[in-house]
Amino acid sequence: MEIVRIRSITEYHRFRGLPNPEHPLISLVDYALVQFPEDEKAVNIVMDFYSIALKRDIGAKLHYGQQMYDFDEGLMSFIAPGQVLRIERDPDLQNNGSGYLLQIHPDFLWGSHLAKNIKKHSFFDYSIHEALFLSSKEETIILNIFENIRQEYHTNIDKFTQDLIIAQIELLLKYCDRYYNRQFITRKISSHQMLTKVENFLNSYFSDASRPEGLLSVKKVADAMNVSSDYLSSMLKQLTGKNVQEHIHQKMIEKAKEKLSTTTLSVSEIAYELGFEHPQSFSKLFKSKTNVSPMEFRRSFN
């Protein structure tokens, strides 16, 4: 399917039958006003700006990366510039649902602290099935921030406008960080199931003699879990204090200790089996994690 590239916020407004935005680099859209052609059943979109949405009952399925989420409940989603979004509308849809869409062009953030730090908010890379659910109180807070942004760019623009709006965007993202953290905590059962799946995958992977050459990547583990790398690392960090890479390293060291203590394989052979191209890299990792070299560890068993 052809991808629709939308390069500006003004272009998005025209694409969805909305009036031109009052500010070319930032816009808050009432989602109920978004127009869809009757013959549009599905569309792939790439936007050159950030999109932060709070939507309810929109009657559509959204594909984001390898995941799909059905918008049956109110939730927030976060999309960074250049990410492919596929929207499949319900053919029996009677209305567009409700909610708001905050669009921010990167040029609006130019020269600000947020321009360099916005991508540190890892929820811009989350798989959509881990979008942010809100309580009614949390939703009210987010809507108030949206309204503050709207009022600011509706007033006469002056030298303070950009700074004040960016301050509101930073506040919005900080609240979303807090709510995502709450979501991790309140969904411990699901998270622990994921942790079990990760452990089972790593055990199976390092026990498989026919596994592909090279080091196991974080992306490969995340793909096996059907989630994004950032989401999986955030979840594991919340549960265990270790991210995905640290879990991989921990499993490597466990396997290395097993082979050093129960086989006569050389350090180089063990390194190659674990996926290292250079044995020195393996030895360096082993010592950083255990405070002894592989050979010192082996000698401790003799």
Side-chain angles (χ1 to χ4, degrees):
M1 178 181 291
E2 182 181 358
I3 294 178
V4 177
R5 186 68 181 249
I6 301 178
R7 301 186 182 279
S8 69
I9 293 173
T10 299
E11 190 176 333
Y12 178 87
H13 278 236
R14 291 172 183 164
F15 179 66
R16 288 308 185 197
L18 298 163
N20 283 339
E22 296 187 45
H23 193 297
L25 299 180
I26 188 164
S27 176
L28 184 66
V29 174
D30 183 340
Y31 203 78
L33 302 179
V34 172
Q35 296 180 26
F36 297 89
E38 290 186 7
D39 60 348
E40 182 184 299
K41 300 297 187 293
V43 62
N44 289 334
I45 299 175
V46 174
M47 298 177 289
D48 288 354
F49 44 86
Y50 292 95
S51 177
I52 301 174
L54 192 158
K55 302 176 185 176
R56 311 178 201 87
D57 306 315
I58 68 169
K61 298 184 187 299
L62 189 150
H63 296 255
Y64 181 57
Q66 301 301 313
Q67 305 300 325
M68 180 179 71
Y69 202 92
D70 196 342
F71 281 90
D72 290 331
E73 302 179 56
L75 57 85
M76 292 190 73
S77 60
F78 305 81
I79 300 168
Q83 294 176 334
V84 179
L85 199 62
R86 176 178 169 83
I87 301 174
E88 295 182 2
R89 299 185 67 237
D90 185 336
D92 299 322
L93 179 68
Q94 299 299 314
N95 59 67
N96 291 349
S98 61
Y100 293 93
L101 188 62
L102 177 63
Q103 300 171 324
I104 309 161
H105 197 281
D107 287 354
F108 184 79
L109 306 176
W110 184 253
S112 71
H113 176 76
L114 187 58
K116 294 183 292 185
N117 290 288
I118 188 168
K119 288 190 176 179
K120 291 183 179 179
H121 297 278
S122 55
F123 43 68
F124 278 108
D125 294 320
Y126 285 158
S127 300
I128 195 61
H129 73 286
E130 286 298 340
L132 178 57
F133 290 87
L134 301 175
S135 69
S136 58
K137 181 179 178 180
E138 291 166 350
E139 185 172 323
T140 298
I141 290 172
I142 298 300
L143 290 175
N144 285 339
I145 296 174
F146 278 170
E147 184 58 30
N148 289 342
I149 292 171
R150 189 216 303 271
Q151 287 182 8
E152 189 56 43
Y153 74 72
H154 272 208
T155 59
N156 294 327
I157 295 176
D158 57 29
K159 66 179 182 179
F160 300 104
T161 301
Q162 182 183 20
D163 288 346
L164 289 170
I165 292 177
I166 288 175
Q168 289 294 317
I169 295 170
E170 288 181 313
L171 181 62
L172 171 71
L173 297 178
K174 285 178 181 177
Y175 270 114
C176 292
D177 277 329
R178 168 186 277 181
Y179 299 155
Y180 258 119
N181 189 64
R182 178 267 305 152
Q183 185 161 301
F184 285 134
I185 292 171
T186 57
R187 299 176 66 186
K188 280 186 177 179
I189 293 176
S190 174
S191 296
H192 282 297
Q193 290 172 344
M194 181 70 77
L195 178 59
T196 300
K197 287 177 64 178
V198 170
E199 286 293 316
N200 290 341
F201 173 82
L202 293 176
N203 286 331
S204 175
Y205 182 88
F206 285 109
S207 298
D208 183 3
S210 63
R211 65 178 177 271
E213 294 182 358
L215 291 171
L216 176 61
S217 68
V218 171
K219 185 177 185 305
K220 187 175 182 66
V221 179
D223 287 348
M225 301 300 111
N226 292 318
V227 297
S228 73
S229 300
D230 279 344
Y231 171 73
L232 186 59
S233 281
S234 294
M235 185 273 291
L236 292 180
K237 193 80 172 177
Q238 182 73 32
L239 285 174
T240 68
K242 298 184 180 72
N243 59 27
V244 181
Q245 189 65 68
E246 290 170 313
H247 277 267
I248 293 173
H249 285 167
Q250 178 178 310
K251 193 59 61 176
M252 280 182 173
I253 298 304
E254 288 177 9
K255 266 307 186 189
K257 285 181 175 179
E258 176 186 318
K259 291 178 182 296
L260 287 166
S261 60
T262 62
T263 75
T264 59
L265 291 172
S266 69
V267 171
S268 293
E269 288 172 325
I270 294 171
Y272 294 138
E273 281 197 9
L274 291 173
F276 287 89
E277 185 177 353
H278 304 291
Q280 299 93 327
S281 298
F282 162 67
S283 295
K284 183 177 180 180
L285 175 68
F286 190 93
K287 187 161 188 177
S288 72
K289 299 296 183 182
T290 66
N291 294 320
V292 295
S293 70
M295 286 306 299
E296 287 172 333
F297 179 84
R298 171 168 276 171
R299 283 196 293 269
S300 70
F301 284 85
N302 298 329

